[in-house]
Amino acid sequence: MTTTNAPADALVERPSLRRARLRESLAGYGFMAPWLAGFFALTVGPMIASLYLSFTDYDLFAPPEFIGADNYARLLSDPQFLQSIKVTVIYVVLGTPIKLAAALGVAMLLNAKRRGLGFYRSAFYAPSLVAASVSIAIVWKAMFIDDGVVDSSLRIFGVELGGWVGNPDMTMPMFILLAVWAFGGPMVIFLAGLKQVPGELYEAAEMDGAGRLRQFRNITLPMLSPVIFFNLLMETIGSFQVFGSAFIISGGTGGPAGSTLFYTLYLYQRGFRDFAMGYASAMAWLLVIAVGLITILLFRTSKAWVHYQGDAK
Amino acid sequence: MPSRDDSSRLRRDAKRRGRLGSLGYHLGMIAVCAVVLYPAVWMFTSSLKPSSEIIGNISLLPENGSLDNFATALAGIGGVSFWTFFVNSVIIAVFSVVGVVVSSAVAAYAFARIQFRAKPLWFALMVATMLLPFHVTIIPQYILFQNLGLINNFGALLIPKFLATEAFFVFLMIQFLRGIPRDLDEAARIDGAGHIRVFGSIIMPLLRPAMITAAIFTFIASWNDFLGPLLYLKRPDLYTLPIALRLFVDQTTTSDYGAQVAMAVLALIPVIIFFFVFQRYLIDGVSTQGLKG
Amino acid sequence: MSAAGALVLAACSGGGDDAGGGEPGSGGTVDPDEEISLTVVWWGNDDRADRYEQAIELFEAEYPNIDIQSQFQAWPDYWTARATEAAGNALPDVFQMDLSYLSEFGTRGQLVDLAPYAGGELDTSGLSDALLASGQIDGAQYGIPQSTNTLALFYNPAIVDDLGIEPPTADQTWEEYVAWAAEAAAAGADEDPRLYGTGDFTGVLWLFVQYLVQNGHEVFTAEGDIAFTEQDVIEWLNVAQPLRDADALFPAERTVQLAPLGGFTVNEVASEFSWDNFLAGYLADSGADSLEMLPLPVPEGGERNMFFKPSMLLSAGANTEHPEAAAAFISFITNDAEVGSIFGTSRGVPATESARSQLEAEGADAQVLAYEEEWTPEITAATPVLPEGFGTIEAEWLRLAEELGYGHITPEEFASQWFAEAEIALG
């Protein structure tokens, strides 16, 4: 769905003077100047700098000292680093599909002509605006603590789990619930996608005697695949960047027992608590490479399951 | 129940399912609503309860409701009032909105309306930055701002906003502009208007819906931002609400959940107001992005 | 008797005269006509903020031309913020310093050598030589100790009573203490909430340091290297192994959820090791009528060998434009009797006789004073020298202790992982 092509007329030669073209170029760069400045000073420059720093030992005080690939070698034998990868991967692999499934399910329920839809839609969307806030992290922690509302409610049903906050096996489900709770973002995008599916398709399928499940599998999923792909890509990349809620709930430690040591949190600890800037830069670059590979992989596999309609844009 | 907008089919369905189906639907939806909104409702009612009633008590209704928690929260932390944090958050959010909207609109105009040779390359690079994890730039940016003396200065948080570094919003506006016919601005160009005039008097007004969407999302993101202020603001009198909240949680050594939750509620109020006022823009804004993306 | 033993109670004088670095009294004085603004920063909570505000008011009344801008952070943020400022040459004029970070900042030239101000704006005569020396590195006076503390075993008599067991004693060995804690946990198993004798005390690095000193080991070399072995760490962790095996330690799950409170302050644990100046905080948080303090257990056939530690120091940032005013402020906070009574023992037992002179004669402050007085004969060891990077290895120790508490690692893995991290942190 991402169309990166500039409009075709961009390249059409106009019967104009060279001077006019030059003037257009100047105007173009003039308007782009703030973005260009940001692009070079705050994105490209820093990227190169962090690549360099990742091969150095740098603590903000003494000048960076070149140490070759030591940081990368150390990372591979750092149990905390491996733990942070494990935590993040589990979160992304479990959290993203559950969240998207919830979003799609609710979007389909909302794709009807009934009263009160506006209300439901707003109610479901609201959590996604605040889920990453410190306020909600505080609320989440208070809800999932020993004798908190979740523990007490489960006990009514005879489930004795204790507080999730203190149990390293239960903190991940707690974070995944927080992620799934914010299903409203992808939901509205699914909803927009569903509105574009031509009704005749379902009508024809119904005539053929196709049940709901087959309609879903043969019509909804293929027609919606570009939107699913977009959501999958955005949510996956977003999941790698979780920070605030993990920071608040674990008090910045990534505990208990490293069970909430998300990649971003560990990078923060190394970079901005221990001031191991080189080490943290190496972590950042490994993440860039990993995210790049995942993006490429998603795009590759998307050819097999994403169906773009000729007229869809 | 996947459905569609075709009215004849709907009518047929309605006859068959009748009122019972409708009742079931609404009951189901209300049940989902209850689950989704429960944390929010719990949060509001807990803020009215004494701390001892918050944990170990699943009843939503406070038995001894009072505003004491809010009084504690508004008193602030160690001599810095709640309103100081609030004002800091407002300043940063307002300038972020201005910065993002203006810089993104300017860049989007160049991408969508001015023709020059290297533009496709720049466009591809801009889109690529949307997928770039922020981790890779955050350390050198920090070193840069620190060398510029921008620690404990809102500048470190605001400068990137004025340089259109949030490629997502530039992209959003480009897509929006592509949907607007060129007749108006081309006519103006033929009449001899320069790009600045065309941008100011024709494009800006047309771009308003996309600008509103960008403004709302920027406001909410900036209001909730935790990492940025955590890195750059080290003085309590400069703290924004999220950082203050975190300090508040650490400082109340007696685990005063009531006051913590009350402060959490206060910190969310602007977002909630924003949501009620702009929810239509918000949701429509999101859906158009999805479609045009 | 070693010099350190005399830190608190001996009202000795004349410290600072030989502090080196610069000629005492050569630092210049505050110009009373110049309008001066100083930033002062500390770590702590609301309660400490109130006390500092009061103390600052007194100072500003004494020096009307000096305006103090104060701020504070919680402990972990505090050091992140200071490190950032140090890198940007923007440290506060005066800030609270901890022994674990003194050499990190001092050796990098981030702190003012206060020796030249001694005898001038800075009155160090109320501090003992030994205590004053703890704020020195290579002869330069980088921090002025504010107060001292020493480790203690706190226990809650009400809980011990509930459990129906004898309280711990002052002359117990570590082994006996562990046996007592096992008995307490067994007695508390049927209570709701379940009661325990102790939490995993081996997770406190300072207690390990104290244990090494008791056994006559050097802890860190003068070069800032570790002087003990992985085997020593394992031996220490194994002191609590019988409790771990019997599930008789306060569970890590609870500890994590109670933070920032602990098992002891929510009255579910009968005893806890900590610094003696925590008493007032413990009393306030737990709501207990009284808490008792005992000296540390003795090692089998060894000496008690406890030590005093400066619980905090005040330092001046090297970039300050008004070192003389900074020295005056530090001096005022260190010596003023009214300031002493404002802080009480909340920052530790005040370092100077004058600051102690108006302490309350009863309550927590009096109990802490009495504790240190009673056990001074046993407080015989010198404060171990801490290497640069101690703060980092202390945090790592705590992290691994949590992993150990959850049973995710063994004492052997604890030791090897901690050493791997310490090698990097200590360079």
Side-chain angles (χ1 to χ4, degrees), chain A residues 1 24 109 120 122 147 181 203, chain B residues 4 25 36 56 279 290 293:
Chain A
M1 36 197 314
E24 282 293 286
L109 285 176
Y120 296 136
S122 300
D147 297 323
W181 186 59
E203 218 154 67
Chain B
R4 58 189 181 85
Y25 176 84
V36 169
Q279 49 153 321

Side-chain angles (χ1 to χ4, degrees), chain B residues 49-233:
Chain B
K49 296 177 181 179
S51 290
S52 57
E53 270 185 40
I54 293 178
I55 304 298
N57 182 346
I58 59 172
S59 153
L60 278 179
L61 291 176
E63 281 161 36
N64 313 300
S66 83
L67 293 174
D68 292 358
N69 291 328
F70 287 95
T72 313
L74 285 173
I77 309 157
V80 186
S81 140
F82 172 86
W83 297 110
T84 306
F85 307 132
F86 187 85
V87 168
N88 291 338
S89 274
V90 169
I91 292 173
I92 291 177
V94 166
F95 280 97
S96 294
V97 166
V98 172
V100 166
V101 168
V102 171
S103 65
S104 304
V106 169
Y109 177 77
F111 279 116
R113 285 297 198 261
I114 305 178
Q115 316 304 335
F116 55 101
R117 197 180 305 183
K119 198 172 74 172
L121 172 72
W122 293 122
F123 184 79
L125 288 172
M126 197 264 307
V127 170
T129 60
M130 286 202 307
L131 302 174
L132 190 72
F134 66 82
H135 309 69
V136 74
T137 54
I138 195 166
I139 286 170
Q141 273 186 21
Y142 178 83
I143 296 169
L144 175 71
F145 286 133
Q146 188 235 322
N147 283 322
L148 293 174
L150 292 178
I151 304 292
N152 285 332
N153 187 313
F154 292 164
L157 299 172
L158 294 176
I159 288 171
K161 311 281 194 227
F162 280 87
L163 297 180
T165 47
E166 314 241 355
F168 179 75
F169 295 116
V170 182
F171 185 70
L172 182 82
M173 292 186 191
I174 294 173
Q175 295 296 341
F176 191 87
L177 280 179
R178 283 183 181 166
I180 296 176
R182 292 161 168 268
D183 317 0
L184 270 177
D185 47 303
E186 268 172 8
R189 295 278 294 147
I190 290 163
D191 287 350
H195 280 296
I196 293 176
R197 242 187 76 199
V198 170
F199 175 71
S201 52
I202 297 174
I203 297 296
M204 287 269 270
L206 289 172
L207 198 55
R208 193 178 295 152
M211 286 165 68
I212 291 175
T213 304
I216 296 166
F217 275 99
T218 304
F219 182 89
I220 290 171
S222 150
W223 192 268
N224 287 336
D225 184 23
F226 181 67
L227 183 55
L230 180 70
L231 290 182
Y232 291 111
L233 306 179

Side-chain angles (χ1 to χ4, degrees), chain B residues 76-80 142 146-147 151-152 230-231 234-237 239 246-255 257 260, chain C residues 44-46 49-50 53 71-77 80-82 84-89 257-261 284-285:
Chain B
I77 309 157
V80 186
Y142 178 83
Q146 188 235 322
N147 283 322
I151 304 292
N152 285 332
L230 180 70
L231 290 182
K234 307 286 187 189
R235 273 172 34 198
D237 58 321
Y239 280 0
R246 184 273 169 123
L247 181 68
F248 196 65
V249 172
D250 283 356
Q251 293 302 317
T252 43
T253 44
T254 42
S255 284
Y257 279 109
Q260 288 176 20
Chain C
N45 57 12
D46 260 357
D50 285 346
E53 287 311 320
Q71 349 145 0
F72 69 101
Q73 284 105 12
W75 171 266
D77 293 340
T80 314
R82 297 297 82 76
T84 311
E85 290 165 352
N89 269 323
Q257 301 194 65
L258 290 171
L261 293 180
D285 287 346

Side-chain angles (χ1 to χ4, degrees), chain C residues 189-222:
Chain C
D190 301 326
E191 306 271 345
D192 181 36
R194 206 177 149 176
L195 299 180
Y196 292 86
T198 188
D200 195 341
F201 54 88
T202 59
V204 181
L205 178 56
W206 273 105
L207 217 48
F208 171 55
V209 168
Q210 180 67 75
Y211 183 76
L212 288 174
V213 171
Q214 286 188 334
N215 286 292
H217 284 299
E218 194 190 4
V219 187
F220 298 104
T221 65

